[in-house]
Amino acid sequence: MRGTRPSAGAAARRPRGAQDAGEEPGAAACDLQRGTSNMSFEELLELESQVGTKTYKRLVVANSTKKQRSRPSVQSTCVADKHRPLEMSAKIQVPFLRQVVPICKKVARDPRFDDLSGEYNPEVFDKTYQFLDDIRAKEKQLVKKQLKKHRSGEEHEKLQQLLQRMEQQEMAQQERKRLQELHLVLKQERRAQAQHGHRPYFLKKSEQRQLALAEKFKELRRRRKLESFLNRKRRRNAGKDKRHLPLSKE
């Protein structure tokens, strides 16, 4: 009995790569492996329902393995991480000149000595951070109040040392401002001399120190602390001279 020929509609509905009745199983499997990559999702579902899930998975796995084998080989030199050194293959001779991966190092930047922060101008700095003087004054008053509450003990000593350090910092800041004012006056005098046609005279460092010391003595005399300052200076100099004296042989 002659078999009936499949209609054109059935052939169109059949997915590409499906096995025909007269084809051999090995050839059909090869055709399926070649054709699964070009099938749509609906055709893949229909193929799975026809050949079975087990056979379908085997065909798909064989097709994916074949793709992986057909990919080009990975280069012998590869970097998994940009901060990791290069991995060189042992089968290839290492070249004399090779590319070295630079290591990013964190460089500490001090704004006091960096050109990116600009030049240091004491006058501009004092005007910009003038609000810190009010904060220091409030902190000093707070320390004095705490010192009145703790009349004795370890806390009293800590507060006393803190208050003394704050006073010393305040005196050093006042001394620095006074020297800045003195340098500003000298600069204005040199400008006035240059405007009148005179050659400006620049003081030496020793002369600037003498002028600063004279201004300091004037300030101490005004505050009536010159005698105590001179007495401390004499005792300090006497102690220094005593160290250089020869020891008595007794």
Side-chain angles (χ1 to χ4, degrees):
M1 182 177 180
R2 298 175 60 184
T4 58
R5 187 176 179 181
S7 62
R13 289 193 300 270
R14 186 182 62 180
R16 286 172 295 177
Q19 182 178 358
D20 292 339
E23 294 180 351
E24 296 180 0
C30 294
D31 294 340
L32 285 173
Q33 290 179 6
R34 288 194 298 267
T36 51
S37 61
N38 300 324
M39 289 183 180
S40 63
F41 185 70
E42 296 179 356
E43 293 175 348
L44 290 174
L45 290 178
E46 187 175 356
L47 175 62
E48 183 180 1
S49 63
Q50 290 181 3
V51 300
T53 306
K54 188 174 181 180
T55 307
Y56 173 76
K57 288 184 178 179
R58 186 171 66 252
L59 294 174
V60 173
V61 170
N63 192 11
S64 62
T65 307
K66 185 177 180 182
K67 284 184 179 180
Q68 291 179 0
R69 290 177 182 175
S70 63
R71 290 179 182 176
S73 59
V74 184
Q75 296 180 357
S76 59
T77 304
C78 61
V79 180
D81 186 6
K82 63 178 181 179
H83 299 296
R84 201 174 73 179
L86 290 174
E87 294 181 4
M88 308 298 294
S89 175
K91 299 180 181 179
I92 302 176
Q93 186 179 2
V94 180
F96 178 72
L97 297 175
R98 53 183 174 177
Q99 182 182 4
V100 180
V101 179
I103 301 175
C104 299
K105 295 183 179 180
K106 293 184 178 180
V107 181
R109 189 175 71 87
D110 194 342
R112 298 174 299 174
F113 309 106
D114 200 342
D115 295 336
L116 297 176
S117 302
E119 297 181 357
Y120 173 68
N121 191 346
E123 301 174 1
V124 177
F125 184 85
D126 292 339
K127 290 180 180 179
T128 306
Y129 296 96
Q130 192 174 3
F131 64 94
L132 294 178
D133 297 339
D134 301 334
I135 296 176
R136 293 192 189 99
K138 292 179 182 179
E139 291 178 351
K140 186 177 179 181
Q141 295 296 330
L142 183 60
V143 171
K144 287 183 177 180
K145 290 180 181 179
Q146 294 293 330
L147 191 61
K148 291 180 180 179
K149 294 180 181 178
H150 301 84
R151 296 291 182 178
S152 60
E154 185 178 357
E155 192 69 21
H156 175 78
E157 294 179 0
K158 290 182 180 180
L159 292 172
Q160 188 70 29
Q161 293 177 0
L162 179 59
L163 181 61
Q164 186 177 1
R165 184 166 65 250
M166 294 174 72
E167 290 178 351
Q168 290 177 355
Q169 291 176 355
E170 186 178 357
M171 290 175 61
Q173 186 178 5
Q174 291 177 359
E175 181 70 15
R176 183 173 56 83
K177 287 183 178 180
R178 188 175 56 80
L179 291 176
Q180 289 180 5
E181 293 176 358
L182 179 60
H183 288 304
L184 183 60
V185 171
L186 294 175
K187 187 184 295 185
Q188 291 176 355
E189 290 180 358
R190 288 197 297 267
R191 287 179 181 175
Q193 291 176 2
Q195 289 178 358
H196 287 84
H198 299 285
R199 186 177 181 180
Y201 175 73
F202 296 91
L203 297 176
K204 301 178 181 179
K205 290 185 177 180
S206 59
E207 296 175 348
Q208 292 180 8
R209 285 196 295 269
Q210 291 177 1
L211 288 177
L213 188 60
E215 291 293 331
K216 186 176 182 179
F217 282 175
K218 289 180 182 179
E219 181 66 20
L220 291 173
R221 187 180 292 107
R222 186 182 64 81
R223 296 166 56 186
R224 297 181 181 180
K225 293 184 178 181
L226 181 60
E227 291 297 329
S228 60
F229 174 78
L230 292 176
N231 290 333
R232 288 197 305 270
K233 197 76 172 178
R234 292 191 193 99
R235 288 196 299 268
R236 192 179 301 113
N237 293 336
K240 291 180 182 179
D241 295 340
K242 190 175 182 180
R243 286 184 230 157
H244 299 288
L245 292 176
L247 298 176
S248 60
K249 297 180 181 181
E250 293 182 356

